[in-house]
């Protein structure tokens, strides 16, 4: 049979055949094996929205390639899948369809599970988790009660973002341009009583451990460090002139305190109203506060408001100088950072400098660089570096570091200040006023206060016979059969908590439960988690850099301190894959640019979809969708298929071991290319998962195979060498296009399935080039090329370059200033 005969690649039949085999044989089911190194590979689990999208396909294909590759490298791989199943969309769908959210959720799970299976992902489905299942959230509720007993859970009244349409609290990150991220209706502030996890108790550890997360992208670590926002400085009291109040400020620059010329406080500061009362500035302050709050609600996280403020009519006194300091309400001061009051030093803070210029406030220099003098009248920007103190009384002449210590110590000695460390991080509010979430396991008793539900009474289950209100309000507060209960302490009538938990709680520990999904004696089986954790490779979108990843780190530390885990960090390595872009923007239903993976699978097959998503861009970059790219991936697979099927008889026969040293000509060329490709692909997969360049390397080998075996080729290639090349192609592509490679592997006479075969290793001698081509440049311009044996030393290369006839005419009669040699690549003669 000729390789040019028409051959049909029936991808549908091939893919369904192998998926059925894997499922029937439970090929990817895994259990602990002390004879092999473990490897826990995990992608962030999906919300069961009803359909997988191309972002899912890319994320899970990346993970599946790594899982399959590691198995071939001898690792015992745990690769589970489950569902982040609580949340608002299920509830809204249930209201629309007059059903229970569980029905919509489980129908979607069934559909999406079949889609994932159709992609050929190598999951251990026996470990599947759905977080809406009481078998899962029962243990989450137990952890909640243990945290409450340890003082890590508390209740307080706070101002929240409230969406009237969705009838729930929203995190700051869920408010976009002042509107709800889901329904797009305006959000309003509301005071509510809610439950909080004390994540701030772990602020230092969460921050310090960032330095040890060597396998995480620096941009993610930078975002977490910034979110935690630890600052060391001084807390100092400024008395309010003529009033009993005092303003307490936090500053990281106490060395500049003699240069304070005004005070800035947040619009939400509790003293705003009293500071302006009776000053004649009440109306202006009230209007400014209302306008600023409205603007901040509509503000995007990346936007920066124009710096504005309003005078309160009150003054405070600088405790070091006794000078009057006007107090302004400013839109750039955050109540959640420090104390909500900031001393303003225009000469040494750029934001304060701009504010002072705008409102004609004094600028006093109190820090100067070594050997220089600053004139405040001539300054065009603030001097923000450290230096030596001037205009600072007894502290003149001190260097900034010494001045910080001495000025803070002076405040402490006089009783108006102290050293302090502050954090931007705030405790995690986990109360939600919706039905479809894990019930918070607390009971409110008029006599005993808030009491945790006893362990033996867990889980507190969501009712299954409930009718959801069209308004979106949770039915739980009005459902007597749910909220009426007895106090576990005194036995009197009590009321069950009707808020449910933030769905981020479920995703903060699911990776640990995957190690023991059927364990019934507690949240986690110590033996299982000790064997499998931490996750060796975690994969997901960078949009989860702060919330999910920070919460998962926090929860891991809590579970450790409760005795359930021994690890302190959940994920050793993190890969944040880029988005899928089409028509210049992220794929989304609202933009009408969605490509349905199911349609692609029908037209091209799962392996083609997998190959394109891997080849189109490195995993950390955005993938620009291209119909031509999908077609190109399909053509490449057909090209390999055609060659193997066309030479099936020869490839299925017996083949002798190859002695590379005895090869010559075309045989040696193909043998060398085969081993160079093994080396390249292995290196690309081991370093940052560069699947695109790995695939490109295999494509080059396929091109070499075709060119050397073409009818017009000048010399024949031995069957043993062809067989080696084809076998290598299938092994190297197996993690990426598994159905395709399994089929061709079986077709060419292999008894054992390919997924049991070991990853190939290259022969370093075979991969060596017989000759190298070295580019010769003169002043950076190519003037010649040298053909040299591998390993030639730099001195010999320089000599050859100087004497090359094409080069001589460019250097003759000129002084050679230096010669630069780049090993195995080029020589650059500088004249």
């Amino acid at each position: 049979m000729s390789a040019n005969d028409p051959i049909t690649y029936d991808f549908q039949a091939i893919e369904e055949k192998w998926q059925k085999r894997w499922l029937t044989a439970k090929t990817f089911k895994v259990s602990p094996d002390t004879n092999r190194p473990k490897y826990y590979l995990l992608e962030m689990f999906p919300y069961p929205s009803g359909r997988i999208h191309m972002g899912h396909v890319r994320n899970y294909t990346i993970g599946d390639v790594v899982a399959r590759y590691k198995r071939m490298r001898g690792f015992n791989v745990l690769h589970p899948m489950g569902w982040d199943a609580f949340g608002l969309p299920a509830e809204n769908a249930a209201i629309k369809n007059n059903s229970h959210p569980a029905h919509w959720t489980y129908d979607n799970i069934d559909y999406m599970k079949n889609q994932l299976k159709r992609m050929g992902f190598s999951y251990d489905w026996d470990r599947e988790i759905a977080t809406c299942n009481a078998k899962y959230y029962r243990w989450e509720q137990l952890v909640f009660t243990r945290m409450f007993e340890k003082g890590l859970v508390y209740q307080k009244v706070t101002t929240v973002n409230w969406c009237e349409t969705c009838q729930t609290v929203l995190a700051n990150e869920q408010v976009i341009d002042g509107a709800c991220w889901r329904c797009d209706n305006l959000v309003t502030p509301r005071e509510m009583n809610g439950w909080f996890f004390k994540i701030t108790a772990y602020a230092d550890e969460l921050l310090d451990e960032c330095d040890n997360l060597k396998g995480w992208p620096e941009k993610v670590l930078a975002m977490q460090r910034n979110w935690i926002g630890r600052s060391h400085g001084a807390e100092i009291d400024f008395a309010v002139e003529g009033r009993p109040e005092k303003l307490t400020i936090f500053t990281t620059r106490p060395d500049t305190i003699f240069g304070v010329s005004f005070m800035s406080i947040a619009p939400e500061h509790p003293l705003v109203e009293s500071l302006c009362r009776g000053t004649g500035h009440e109306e202006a302050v009230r209007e400014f506060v209302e306008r600023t709050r409205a603007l901040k609600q509509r503000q995007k996280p990346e936007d920066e408001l124009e710096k504005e403020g309003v005078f309160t009519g009150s003054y405070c006194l600088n405790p070091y100088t006794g000078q009057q300091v006007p107090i302004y309400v400013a839109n750039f001061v955050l109540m959640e950072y420090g104390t909500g009051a900031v001393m303003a030093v225009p000469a040494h803070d750029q934001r304060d400098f701009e504010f002072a210029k705008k409102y004609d406030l004094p600028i006093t220099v109190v820090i100067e660089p070594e050997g220089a003098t600053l004139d405040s009248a001539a300054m065009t920007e603030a001097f923000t570096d450290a230096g030596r103190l001037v205009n600072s009384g007894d502290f003149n002449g001190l260097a900034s570091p010494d001045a910080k210590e001495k000025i803070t110590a002076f405040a402490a000695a006089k009783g108006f200040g102290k050293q302090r460390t502050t954090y931007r991080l705030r405790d995690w509010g986990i109360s939600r006023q919706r039905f479809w979430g894990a019930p918070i396991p607390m009971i409110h008793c008029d006599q005993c206060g808030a009491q945790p539900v006893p362990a033996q009474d867990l889980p507190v289950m969501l009712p299954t016979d409930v009718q959801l209100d069209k308004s979106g309000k949770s039915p739980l507060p009005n459902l007597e059969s749910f909220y009426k209960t007895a106090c576990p302490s005194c036995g009197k009538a009590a009321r069950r908590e009707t808020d449910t938990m933030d769905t981020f709680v479920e995703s903060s520990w699911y990776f640990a439960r995957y190690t023991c999904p059927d364990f019934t004696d507690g949240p986690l089986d110590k033996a299982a988690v000790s064997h499998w954790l931490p996750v060796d490779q975690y994969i997901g979108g960078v949009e989860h850099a702060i919330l999910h990843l920070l919460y998962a780190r926090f929860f891991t530390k809590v579970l450790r301190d409760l005795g359930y885990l021994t690890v302190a960090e959940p994920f050793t390595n993190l890969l944040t894959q880029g988005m899928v872009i089409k028509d210049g923007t992220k794929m989304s239903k609202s933009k009408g640019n969605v490509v349905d993976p199911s349609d692609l699978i029908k037209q091209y097959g799962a392996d083609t979809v997998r190959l394109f998503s891997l080849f189109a861009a490195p995993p950390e970059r955005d993938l620009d969708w291209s119909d031509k790219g999908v077609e190109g991936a399909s053509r490449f697979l057909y090209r390999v298929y055609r060659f193997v099927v066309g030479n099936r008889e020869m490839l299925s026969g017996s083949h002798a071991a190859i002695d590379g040293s005895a090869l010559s000509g075309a045989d040696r060329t193909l043998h060398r290319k085969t081993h160079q490709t093994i080396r390249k692909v292995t290196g690309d997969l081991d370093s940052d998962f560069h699947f695109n360049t790995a695939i490109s390397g295999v494509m080059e080998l396929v091109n070499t195979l075709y060119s050397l075996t073409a009818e017009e080729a000048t010399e024949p290639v031995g069957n043993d060498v062809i067989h080696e090349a084809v076998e290598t192609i299938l092994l190297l592509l197996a993690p990426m296009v598994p159905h395709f490679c399994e089929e061709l592997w079986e077709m060419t006479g292999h008894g054992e399935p390919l997924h049991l075969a070991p990853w190939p290793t290259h022969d370093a001698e075979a991969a060596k080039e017989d000759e190298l081509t070295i580019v010769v440049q003169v002043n950076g311009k190519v003037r010649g090329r040298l053909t040299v044996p591998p390993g030639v030393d730099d001195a010999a290369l320089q000599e050859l370059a100087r004497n090359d006839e094409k080069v001589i005419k460019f250097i003759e009669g000129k002084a050679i200033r230096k010669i630069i040699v780049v090993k195995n690549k080029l020589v650059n003669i500088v004249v």
Side-chain angles (χ1 to χ4, degrees):
M1 185 176 192
S2 165
N4 293 319
D5 289 342
I7 294 168
T8 301
Y9 167 37
D10 189 350
F11 53 80
Q12 294 287 0
I14 290 170
E15 291 174 358
E16 289 173 10
K17 164 188 168 181
W18 286 101
Q19 288 162 15
K20 185 177 179 180
R21 282 197 192 180
W22 295 332
L23 193 63
T24 302
K26 290 186 179 290
T27 298
F28 307 112
K29 182 177 174 62
V30 67
S31 57
D33 182 354
T34 56
N35 294 318
R36 290 186 291 162
K38 72 93 180 177
Y39 193 87
Y40 187 175
L41 185 285
L42 185 63
E43 308 98 10
M44 294 178 185
F45 64 169
Y47 177 77
S49 58
R51 299 288 187 275
I52 64 170
H53 51 67
M54 285 308 300
H56 289 131
V57 168
R58 189 183 190 202
N59 185 1
Y60 302 145
T61 299
I62 290 168
D64 195 56
V65 173
V66 178
R68 289 176 178 273
Y69 171 65
K70 290 295 182 179
R71 288 190 194 99
M72 294 179 74
R73 294 299 299 265
F75 288 88
N76 189 36
V77 176
L78 171 58
H79 188 206
M81 175 50 72
W83 312 95
D84 192 6
F86 276 135
L88 203 54
E91 202 168 329
N92 291 341
I95 292 170
K96 182 179 179 181
N97 299 312
N98 197 29
S99 64
H100 194 280
H103 300 153
W104 184 85
T105 299
Y106 281 109
D107 284 349
N108 286 351
I109 285 174
D110 288 343
Y111 189 90
M112 292 175 70
K113 184 174 179 179
N114 286 328
Q115 284 186 298
L116 295 178
K117 287 179 177 177
R118 186 61 189 85
M119 286 297 300
F121 298 139
S122 59
Y123 298 127
D124 180 354
W125 283 108
D126 286 356
R127 295 176 181 267
E128 182 182 9
I129 284 172
T131 59
C132 64
N133 190 315
K135 292 180 179 178
Y136 180 83
Y137 68 74
R138 166 194 180 183
W139 302 118
E140 183 169 292
Q141 291 174 337
L142 179 64
V143 172
F144 182 103
T145 63
R146 296 288 183 263
M147 291 174 68
F148 179 80
E149 291 164 1
K150 292 279 189 180
L152 293 171
V153 176
Y154 64 93
Q155 195 175 27
K156 73 171 181 179
V157 175
T158 186
T159 302
V160 297
N161 302 306
W162 175 257
C163 177
E164 184 64 25
T165 304
C166 295
Q167 287 291 303
T168 194
V169 169
L170 300 174
N172 290 338
E173 295 73 24
Q174 296 169 325
V175 179
I176 302 172
D177 292 337
C180 173
W181 68 299
R182 285 205 178 279
C183 69
D184 208 31
N185 288 319
L186 285 178
V187 171
T188 57
R190 175 182 287 193
E191 282 201 343
M192 293 188 69
N193 203 12
W195 291 97
F196 288 79
F197 283 163
K198 202 171 183 181
I199 190 173
T200 53
Y202 290 82
D204 284 324
E205 186 179 359
L206 287 166
L207 183 62
D208 294 341
E209 282 292 317
C210 284
D211 294 340
N212 297 326
L213 296 175
K214 305 299 184 185
W216 284 43
E218 183 53 41
K219 64 180 178 182
V220 173
L221 295 175
M223 291 168 77
Q224 291 211 0
R225 290 186 182 108
N226 182 61
W227 191 259
I228 296 167
R230 182 170 65 195
S231 298
H232 300 291
E235 190 173 84
I236 297 172
D237 297 331
F238 283 63
V240 178
E241 188 177 42
R243 297 174 182 268
E245 298 98 340
K246 63 180 179 182
L247 274 179
T248 301
I249 63 96
F250 170 78
T251 178
T252 60
R253 292 294 304 272
D255 55 325
T256 66
I257 201 160
F258 282 80
V260 174
S261 60
F262 63 98
M263 185 71 69
S264 304
I265 63 174
E268 303 84 3
H269 197 286
L271 292 182
V272 167
E273 189 174 338
S274 66
L275 287 173
C276 65
R277 190 181 299 127
T279 66
H281 294 267
E282 296 96 330
E283 189 59 35
V285 171
R286 187 160 37 251
E287 187 276 331
F288 177 81
V289 168
E290 290 175 359
R291 179 165 56 86
T292 301
R293 281 179 174 172
L295 285 170
K296 282 188 175 181
Q297 277 197 324
R298 294 193 295 272
Q299 182 187 9
K300 296 179 181 178
E302 66 272 17
D303 291 345
E304 187 174 341
L305 294 174
E306 181 185 352
K307 299 169 187 65
E308 292 184 324
V310 63
F311 180 43
T312 63
S314 289
Y315 295 84
C316 59
L317 300 174
N318 188 324
Y320 289 87
T321 66
Q323 290 178 334
Q324 274 189 334
V325 178
I327 304 171
Y328 278 73
V329 181
N331 64 354
F332 53 80
V333 182
L334 304 175
M335 191 62 220
E336 59 268 25
Y337 180 77
T339 65
V342 178
M343 68 178 206
V345 187
H348 305 292
D349 181 278
Q350 186 60 29
R351 181 185 61 188
D352 296 342
F353 182 86
E354 293 169 7
F355 192 93
K357 287 289 188 181
K358 182 172 185 175
Y359 292 98
D360 197 25
L361 294 165
I363 298 174
T364 303
V365 172
V366 293
I367 305 283
E368 290 182 337
E370 291 284 354
T373 300
L374 297 179
D375 178 3
S376 60
M379 293 175 73
T380 57
E381 61 181 6
F383 174 69
T384 58
D385 293 340
R388 291 206 173 270
L389 271 65
V390 296
N391 302 321
S392 298
D394 293 341
F395 302 98
N396 279 341
L398 290 178
S400 288
D402 292 340
K404 287 180 180 180
E405 290 186 16
K406 287 183 169 59
I407 287 173
T408 304
F410 181 85
K414 296 294 184 180
F416 62 79
K418 60 183 178 181
Q419 284 189 340
R420 189 186 166 197
T421 300
T422 65
Y423 302 86
R424 182 184 179 202
L425 182 68
R426 290 295 177 262
D427 283 336
W428 175 11
I430 60 103
S431 289
R432 296 296 180 265
Q433 294 69 46
R434 294 301 296 239
F435 170 77
W436 193 233
I440 292 175
M442 297 297 293
I443 294 170
H444 299 281
C445 173
D446 290 340
Q447 182 171 315
C448 305
Q451 299 292 309
V453 175
Q456 65 269 21
D457 295 338
L458 297 175
V460 178
M461 294 183 63
L462 286 173
T464 58
D465 57 352
V466 69
Q467 183 68 38
L468 297 188
D469 192 283
K470 294 291 184 184
S471 70
K473 290 182 179 179
S474 172
L476 297 180
N478 300 310
L479 196 66
E480 284 194 8
S481 60
F482 179 81
Y483 71 73
K484 287 187 75 172
T485 188
C487 173
S489 295
C490 70
K492 292 183 179 180
R495 184 180 180 90
R496 193 182 300 284
E497 174 63 63
T498 57
D499 280 358
T500 54
M501 291 193 227
D502 181 2
T503 56
F504 276 111
V505 179
E506 283 81 63
S507 60
S508 292
W509 72 287
Y510 77 107
F511 48 86
R513 185 66 184 176
Y514 273 144
T515 69
C516 51
D518 299 320
F519 189 62
T520 57
D521 293 337
L524 299 169
D525 178 353
K526 281 190 176 181
V529 294
S530 296
H531 178 81
W532 289 113
L533 290 180
V535 175
D536 295 281
Q537 182 66 60
Y538 198 37
I539 302 172
V542 74
E543 66 271 18
H544 301 291
I546 295 174
L547 294 182
H548 163 56
L549 289 170
L550 189 64
Y551 293 157
R553 295 182 61 218
F554 160 64
F555 226 73
T556 299
K557 296 175 191 305
V558 169
L559 291 171
R560 174 203 61 194
D561 291 349
L562 294 176
Y564 295 117
L565 294 178
T566 56
V567 298
E569 290 288 343
F571 315 120
T572 302
N573 297 291
L574 173 67
L575 172 64
T576 53
Q577 93 281 351
M579 296 184 297
V580 179
I581 305 293
K582 187 171 187 286
D583 304 327
T585 186
K586 180 183 177 181
M587 279 191 184
S588 70
K589 290 180 183 178
S590 63
K591 294 183 175 66
N593 63 348
V594 170
V595 175
D596 189 335
S598 296
D599 293 340
L600 285 175
I601 291 170
K602 288 177 185 176
Q603 185 175 358
Y604 294 102
D607 281 331
T608 291
V609 177
R610 290 170 62 117
L611 190 70
F612 167 74
S613 68
L614 296 166
F615 183 61
E620 70 278 5
R621 302 266 186 88
D622 289 346
L623 183 157
D624 198 357
W625 180 263
S626 163
D627 293 332
K628 289 183 178 179
V630 180
E631 292 166 4
S634 178
R635 285 195 302 272
F636 169 70
L637 290 182
Y638 181 69
R639 196 164 184 241
V640 175
Y641 190 85
R642 189 178 71 214
F643 187 94
V644 175
V645 174
N647 294 280
R648 177 177 180 178
E649 186 175 345
M650 179 271 289
L651 293 169
S652 301
S654 58
H655 296 277
I658 297 172
D659 178 5
S661 63
L663 298 178
S664 61
D667 284 347
R668 183 167 178 78
T669 299
L670 182 55
H671 181 63
R672 179 172 57 242
K673 187 66 174 177
T674 296
H675 285 268
Q676 288 175 342
T677 305
I678 295 171
R679 180 179 63 194
K680 174 174 176 50
V681 173
T682 304
D684 287 341
L685 296 188
D686 282 340
S687 64
D688 300 324
F689 307 133
H690 281 172
F691 310 113
N692 57 324
T693 55
I695 293 167
S696 179
V698 178
M699 288 177 170
E700 288 183 17
L701 176 57
V702 172
N703 289 340
T704 300
L705 179 64
Y706 261 95
S707 65
L708 292 177
T709 58
E711 292 181 2
E712 62 271 19
T714 56
E715 56 181 304
V717 183
N719 289 347
D720 293 341
V721 180
I722 294 174
H723 177 268
E724 178 193 41
V726 170
E727 191 170 88
T728 297
I729 290 167
L730 298 182
L731 288 167
L732 298 181
L733 287 177
M736 306 167 198
V737 286
H739 319 82
F740 176 88
C741 293
E742 286 279 16
E743 182 71 11
L744 295 183
W745 187 261
E746 182 181 73
M747 186 185 295
T748 50
H750 294 88
E752 288 285 323
L754 187 150
H755 69 263
L756 296 177
W759 187 257
T761 56
H762 78 279
D763 180 333
E765 285 298 318
K768 281 184 179 178
E769 289 282 358
D770 289 340
E771 292 180 332
L772 296 174
T773 299
I774 304 295
V775 172
V776 182
Q777 300 175 337
V778 177
N779 290 343
K781 294 184 178 180
V782 177
R783 300 304 189 188
R785 287 177 171 80
L786 304 172
T787 301
V788 299
V792 63
D793 62 41
D794 289 358
L797 273 179
Q798 292 183 29
E799 186 65 24
L800 288 168
R802 280 196 303 266
N803 292 297
D804 183 85
E805 60 181 22
K806 292 181 180 177
V807 173
I808 288 174
K809 60 183 178 182
F810 293 100
I811 63 173
E812 197 167 23
K814 298 176 182 177
I816 295 176
R817 294 165 53 200
K818 61 179 176 179
I819 301 179
I820 302 167
V821 177
V822 179
K823 194 73 174 177
N824 295 333
K825 289 187 177 181
L826 65 84
V827 177
N828 183 22
I829 301 173
V830 181
V831 295

